[in-house]
Amino acid sequence: MNHTQPLTFHPADPGYEDELAGFQTGFAQRPAVVYGARSADDVIAAVRHAATENLPVGVQATGHGLPGASEGGVLITTGRMDGVSVDPEARTVRVQAGVRWGQVVAAAEPYGLAPLNGSAPSVGAVSYTLSGGLGILAREFGYAADHVRSLDVVTADGRLRRVTRESDPDLYWALLGAGHAFGVVTELEIGLVPVRTLYGGSLAFDGREVDPTALLRAYEEWTRTVPDELTSSFAAVPYPDIPALPPHLRGRYVLSVRVACTGTGEDGDQLVAPLRKFGPVLVDSLREMPYAESHTIHSDPPDPHAYYGDSAVLSELDVARAGEVLSLAGPDAAAMCVVQVNHLGGALAKPAPNSVPYREGRFLVRMLAVGDRAAARAQLDPAFALLAPATLGRALNFAFGAGDRTEGLYDVETRKRLAELKSRYDPANLFRRNYLVSSAC
């Protein structure tokens, strides 16, 4: 749809603050102008304006992450671009830039199909996919980026291109893994998988009644026995004692194992039996469920809040060192800190024609801290230092507010190729990603 004039907001305009609001409340930016995009034409207008004025460009769909370097520049918000169209015969879905995963799951479910979405239905599908996309069925089907058929993208020259592996192999490769550094993706075509139901949920333990390190060791040993059809994570969450939480969580240090498996309930029960025997279970929500209920496996918080986070992709999980991390981030820490350990491998280790790095990783450790950037870094940096001997790098999907740190987001060869392509497609660094500029490599 064409519009006569793009919808724009300047700092003194009514609606400017509302347009900036997102899920992440901890790190505000003040762009000189916000384009509320309703179509690809609006995105083109925003990019051309930024190029003319030599201003940086950022993009925000839902605000779970940060919109890039739009301070004093141009921010494009895409929430109004929320079209979803499923082709059940081709097993594909087309999603516009502002679509959230919950919409895609709901649209695909009537056909017995599912996207490779993450744990939270409010996350933007496009940004998640451009950074790789580590989903709840990742070990069976790989990264979400591995299933992209085509991308519609506005590049730094103000052109709208439809990019496929066949039409533009270099740009296709770069966009799927480092997308926001190469343009503004307005629409994706993504392959769906034939999944109608799954076995999933969580086993939760009281971290003051069971030894956290012992449970983590049992989890690591258990992951060596499970098939690729099972994707799981270990989480440690010190819940505050507040009335907003259910009574069984208030003030508790909860250790949980989250599971998603495409097998039957009987198959799933057999696979998780060793974990059920570990100790007294606080909550057992494991069951066979419709895929549309998969968001209940993690039950991520739905309300906007402030947080800072980072991650480490590991070649192996040293349980003793990881146990020290749990101690640093436990209930006695200065501020609330959430630790999650994702089991990788399976289809995630298979090569694909995109720039998602560190496919050889066996585990991913993610940490989120509540508070300002400086306080969070002071809490998280010592923890990640403990994991350094086995760390391959970091995951772009989980650098929440840590974009100021550029090291480790890509391996050397991937970063070198991305920098070369960056100089070809965005020589003025309009989409500011300094770790991909040749002079920084």
Side-chain angles (χ1 to χ4, degrees):
M1 181 183 298
N2 292 319
H3 304 279
T4 304
Q5 292 291 334
L7 186 64
T8 58
F9 302 86
H10 295 83
D13 293 341
Y16 175 84
E17 300 294 343
D18 290 339
E19 196 69 17
L20 291 177
F23 189 84
Q24 166 63 272
T25 64
F27 304 99
Q29 295 199 66
R30 307 295 295 179
V33 58
V34 182
Y35 279 74
R38 295 165 291 188
S39 68
D41 287 342
D42 289 347
V43 175
I44 291 170
V47 171
R48 288 179 177 175
H49 169 72
T52 300
E53 301 295 329
N54 192 28
L55 297 174
V57 179
V59 186
Q60 179 172 302
T62 67
H64 273 250
L66 293 177
S70 62
E71 184 74 26
V74 174
L75 175 65
I76 303 170
T77 57
T78 63
R80 296 172 181 82
M81 300 176 65
D82 60 356
V84 179
S85 177
V86 175
D87 183 337
E89 296 299 321
R91 291 183 178 175
T92 60
V93 61
R94 294 198 68 86
V95 299
Q96 291 186 319
V99 168
R100 304 179 186 217
W101 275 125
Q103 298 169 255
V104 188
V105 171
E109 190 269 341
Y111 306 106
L113 300 172
L116 295 179
N117 56 287
S119 59
S122 60
V123 166
V126 170
S127 289
Y128 162 98
T129 303
L130 297 182
S131 297
L134 180 65
I136 58 174
L137 297 177
R139 279 176 39 80
E140 182 171 0
F141 296 108
Y143 289 99
D146 301 346
H147 296 260
V148 173
R149 307 289 181 83
S150 69
L151 311 92
D152 291 359
V153 58
V154 179
T155 45
D157 55 7
R159 291 175 51 199
L160 177 64
R161 309 172 186 233
R162 175 155 294 180
V163 175
T164 69
R165 183 181 179 185
E166 293 74 27
S167 68
D168 299 274
D170 284 340
L171 186 55
Y172 176 89
W173 178 88
L175 285 167
L176 295 172
H180 290 305
F182 289 87
V184 182
V185 173
T186 61
E187 192 167 316
L188 290 179
E189 182 182 13
I190 309 171
L192 299 171
V193 295
V195 175
R196 188 182 293 274
T197 63
L198 54 75
Y199 176 86
S202 68
L203 283 175
F205 303 84
D206 189 326
R208 298 188 188 276
E209 293 184 3
V210 302
D211 179 1
T213 302
L215 179 59
L216 181 59
R217 187 178 304 280
Y219 171 72
E220 191 276 336
E221 292 173 352
W222 174 75
T223 61
R224 301 180 201 173
T225 70
V226 300
D228 293 352
E229 289 78 15
L230 190 150
T231 302
S232 67
S233 63
F234 169 97
V237 184
Y239 285 98
D241 188 1
I242 57 176
L245 291 172
H248 69 279
L249 295 180
R250 291 178 194 167
R252 290 185 183 268
Y253 182 38
V254 178
L255 310 174
S256 59
V257 177
R258 290 88 167 259
V259 171
C261 178
T262 54
T264 65
E266 183 179 357
D267 294 336
D269 282 339
Q270 290 179 356
L271 288 170
V272 302
L275 294 178
R276 280 194 167 120
K277 296 176 182 178
F278 180 81
V281 176
L282 186 64
V283 177
D284 183 345
S285 65
L286 290 164
R287 68 193 191 282
E288 196 167 353
M289 65 177 71
Y291 192 83
E293 296 179 11
S294 61
H295 64 278
T296 65
I297 294 173
H298 290 74
S299 295
D300 291 323
D303 299 320
H305 57 283
Y307 51 93
Y308 177 97
D310 212 342
S311 62
V313 182
L314 306 179
S315 58
E316 60 182 357
L317 184 64
D318 184 323
V319 175
R321 286 179 175 270
E324 293 183 59
V325 170
L326 293 178
S327 297
L328 288 175
D332 298 325
M336 180 179 177
C337 185
V338 176
V339 179
Q340 181 165 312
V341 181
N342 288 75
H343 180 211
L344 305 179
L348 294 167
K350 296 178 180 178
N354 57 51
S355 52
V356 180
Y358 307 122
R359 289 179 177 266
E360 69 274 30
R362 292 193 60 238
F363 289 92
L364 169 71
V365 175
R366 302 157 52 182
M367 298 183 68
L368 286 178
V370 176
D372 63 48
R373 190 190 305 260
R377 283 287 298 272
Q379 187 171 6
L380 298 192
D381 284 357
F384 283 113
L386 286 167
L387 302 174
T391 296
L392 300 170
R394 300 160 61 215
L396 188 59
N397 267 135
F398 307 110
F400 294 122
D404 57 321
R405 293 182 56 229
T406 62
E407 69 277 6
L409 292 174
Y410 301 96
D411 59 87
V412 173
E413 290 304 313
T414 299
R415 185 182 179 192
K416 180 180 178 181
R417 184 180 175 190
L418 285 170
E420 292 170 349
L421 294 173
K422 177 75 168 172
S423 66
R424 184 195 310 176
Y425 289 102
D426 184 17
N429 198 21
L430 192 68
F431 308 107
R432 302 287 163 82
R433 295 294 187 273
N434 290 332
Y435 50 89
L436 297 184
V437 180
S438 296
S439 61
C441 294

